[in-house]
Amino acid sequence: MRATIKLKLGATFAIVTLLIIAVTGLTLSRMEILSGAVTGLIYGPSARLELAMRAQSSFGSVVRNERSMALSNDLKVAREFDAEVAKSLKEFEEVIGYSEEFGSPESKIVWAKVEQELAEYRSLDARLRELALAGKRDAAVALALGEGRVFHDRIHKTTEELVSMAQAE
């Protein structure tokens, strides 16, 4: 029995439609896999790199503003720098807090080291700010460039280590 042209066209149309549905289903399933991979990248290595760089930047701002406050002859300007130091320290602590959520197991050890170094640094920070706001410029400068520099270098090296670890991922 001969198939009519209508039957042949209908069968071909049905096969093409089924192939399109199969390809669409396969594409959607692969898109979900790709979406998961991109999400993992966003909340994984790139988030850790951003955190490490933010930590480095916010601590650099603390150092810069503390030194400016110590070098300032004007008490009003010193108070402005003091507010900036407080703001930068708060941001630095927030970044350290985010490290619990986004940090890799290896980087969490280094983040804990940063947190410990910051805790040790707090007393020096308080003394330096107190001296600068009391108008004891020479003592504040000596503290910032002496003992403060040691702390600054330690924390800076640790945040550099975090950035290097995140870049290596």
Side-chain angles (χ1 to χ4, degrees), residues 6-78:
K6 278 185 178 181
L7 186 60
K8 287 179 185 176
L9 285 173
T12 304
F13 182 73
I15 291 172
V16 169
T17 302
L18 288 174
L19 285 173
I20 288 174
I21 290 171
V23 168
T24 302
L26 183 64
T27 302
L28 289 176
S29 71
R30 296 297 176 201
M31 289 292 282
E32 288 179 25
I33 293 170
L34 180 62
S35 175
V38 170
T39 301
L41 182 65
I42 290 171
Y43 292 110
S46 64
R48 287 190 282 278
L49 179 60
E50 180 188 353
L51 280 177
M53 293 177 92
R54 279 183 55 202
Q56 197 173 36
S57 171
S58 60
F59 190 71
S61 182
V62 168
V63 172
R64 185 176 52 255
N65 286 313
E66 277 185 346
R67 287 185 180 167
S68 296
M69 180 173 59
L71 291 168
S72 175
N73 289 325
D74 186 355
L75 193 58
K76 181 182 175 190
V77 173

Side-chain angles (χ1 to χ4, degrees), residues 78-141:
R79 284 192 185 111
E80 290 172 7
F81 284 124
D82 183 52
E84 288 297 318
V85 168
K87 178 181 162 190
S88 297
L89 274 173
K90 182 180 178 191
E91 182 182 344
F92 189 54
E93 289 171 341
E94 286 174 0
V95 169
I96 292 172
Y98 291 138
S99 71
E100 287 299 316
E101 183 179 347
F102 293 106
S104 67
E106 300 85 22
S107 71
K108 285 183 181 183
I109 296 167
V110 181
W111 281 108
K113 184 179 174 185
V114 170
E115 194 168 14
Q116 178 188 358
E117 289 173 348
L118 179 63
E120 294 170 8
Y121 177 72
R122 283 290 192 179
S123 63
L124 176 118
D125 172 63
R127 285 186 297 160
L128 189 132
R129 291 164 74 180
E130 182 182 310
L131 289 170
L133 293 174
K136 298 178 181 175
R137 180 177 181 259
D138 292 339
V141 169

